[in-house]
Amino acid sequence: MAVNSEPSSVSLPVSGIVIAVVSSFINGSTFVLQKKGILRSRDRGGSYLTDVVWWAGTLSMIVGQIGNFLAYNVAPAVIVTPLGALGVLFGAVLASWILKEHLNILGKLGCVLCCCGSVVLIIHAPKAETVTSRLELEERLLDPVFVVYALLVVLLLVILIVWIAPAHGTSNIMVYVAICSLLGSFTVPSSKGLGLVAPNVFGEGPSSSRALALFLGLLGTLAVSILIQFFFINKALECFSSNMFEAIYYVTFTSTVILASALLFKEWTALTLTDSLVMLCGLTTVCIGVVLLRISQEALITWKKKTD
């Protein structure tokens, strides 16, 4: 028995890594294909909802997220999550080939710094405590710190969507990026929560009304978050280059998910001084990368105005 169990313990992480790498490449093509579909439909004067390339990008997003879900179930998150940076780099290469979106040297350096800084943040982020039951999840969801954070995120999203996005969304990429990233504070915890609550709802034995209400609440939160995020992703792709949006979005989404998970699962209690300093360095690297991408974007806009 010991001989048979050893290969399986080694093969599971390997399979998870393989799935994560494939999913990262699929996710990297998502924004490029959707952007291509938007441009094609704009040339035809129609809606991108009727464009086959845009739907191919949407399908790749669905397949990529399913792949991520499978990878997280067969390999540790600290191994799977950093591999998402491969999608950013692949997306930049694909955008340069398909969309002719060429980054200058500052843009390329900013993209690399964003990916490196995000990987450092993920590796040294506090690891989630094990939550194995619905009761534990309910206790964490009602924690005052997480409740206050969730309310602040909702308030910020309302301000961004209702007032800031209509006025500055088309001119500042950070508006749409902030909206899509903040929604990650709800999508990832909701996905994890559904996995914990589902056995109480669909498993053997009587289903409690409390478990069903929590399941429907998490499912509704997940659905609304994904739909709003999907809408603003396409709004961003209509105005900005796909490789720049994907790089900044990956950074901010990862950061908000780490923060939300740390608050929900009280992970900061296990954070060491060394990890805190390394995460600060990683965050600084990310900020420098984002600034370089912004400078690259402004330089590109200035160059286009001069050529026109």
Side-chain angles (χ1 to χ4, degrees):
M1 294 298 292
V3 175
N4 293 334
S5 61
E6 187 173 351
S8 62
S9 62
V10 175
S11 63
L12 280 179
V14 172
S15 62
I17 292 173
V18 171
I19 295 174
V21 171
V22 174
S23 299
S24 296
F25 283 111
I26 295 176
N27 288 327
S29 67
T30 293
F31 296 145
V32 176
L33 294 176
Q34 287 183 327
K35 176 73 174 183
K36 183 65 175 180
I38 291 173
L39 294 176
R40 280 160 45 98
S41 61
R42 187 179 296 170
D43 293 337
R44 295 196 308 266
S47 173
Y48 59 78
L49 294 175
T50 61
D51 188 87
V52 64
V53 177
W54 182 86
W55 279 107
T58 303
L59 181 61
S60 69
M61 178 182 292
I62 297 173
V63 174
Q65 294 306 314
I66 293 175
N68 286 340
F69 177 80
L70 294 175
Y72 279 117
N73 280 274
V74 294
V78 293
I79 296 178
V80 175
T81 309
L83 295 174
L86 295 175
V88 178
L89 299 177
F90 177 69
V93 174
L94 202 62
S96 177
W97 175 44
I98 296 179
L99 301 175
K100 309 304 179 184
E101 293 180 354
H102 302 290
L103 290 174
N104 58 22
I105 187 65
L106 286 180
K108 294 176 181 178
L109 179 59
C111 185
V112 172
L113 289 178
C114 285
C115 294
C116 293
S118 298
V119 171
V120 171
L121 283 174
I122 295 165
I123 292 175
H124 291 273
K127 309 306 181 289
E129 299 176 6
T130 304
V131 178
T132 58
S133 67
R134 173 178 59 86
L135 295 178
E136 289 179 329
L137 177 63
E138 290 178 355
E139 181 181 354
R140 301 293 175 87
L141 289 173
L142 296 177
D143 184 83
V145 176
F146 181 75
V147 171
V148 171
Y149 171 77
L151 292 176
L152 289 176
V153 171
V154 171
L155 178 61
L156 186 56
L157 281 171
V158 171
I159 294 174
L160 285 169
I161 293 174
V162 176
W163 288 289
I164 299 181
H168 305 287
T170 56
S171 59
N172 192 329
I173 191 174
M174 294 307 298
V175 176
Y176 291 141
V177 168
I179 293 174
C180 297
S181 301
L182 286 173
L183 289 169
S185 300
F186 301 107
T187 54
V188 175
S190 296
S191 299
K192 294 181 179 179
L194 286 172
L196 292 173
V197 181
N200 295 119
V201 177
F202 302 104
E204 297 180 357
S207 174
S208 66
S209 58
R210 188 170 178 175
L212 180 60
L214 179 59
F215 180 84
L216 294 177
L218 292 173
L219 183 62
T221 302
L222 180 63
V224 172
S225 299
I226 290 177
L227 290 175
I228 297 176
Q229 188 175 350
F230 187 74
F231 173 78
F232 282 103
I233 284 176
N234 283 277
K235 291 282 287 184
L237 292 176
E238 291 179 11
C239 307
F240 306 101
S241 65
S242 62
N243 51 17
M244 188 171 301
F245 174 77
E246 185 172 8
I248 301 177
Y249 169 70
Y250 171 75
V251 169
T252 53
F253 181 85
T254 301
S255 301
T256 54
V257 168
I258 289 176
L259 178 59
S261 298
L263 292 175
L264 178 59
F265 297 105
K266 297 183 179 180
E267 297 169 351
W268 71 84
T269 58
L271 192 63
T272 64
L273 178 61
T274 302
D275 285 333
S276 300
L277 294 176
V278 175
M279 289 184 67
L280 180 61
C281 294
L283 182 60
T284 302
T285 303
V286 165
C287 293
I288 295 174
V290 172
V291 170
L292 292 179
L293 281 170
R294 290 285 295 156
I295 294 175
S296 172
Q297 180 194 28
E298 293 174 358
L300 180 61
I301 293 175
T302 302
W303 177 79
K304 285 185 176 181
K305 287 182 179 179
K306 290 182 179 179
T307 55
D308 293 340

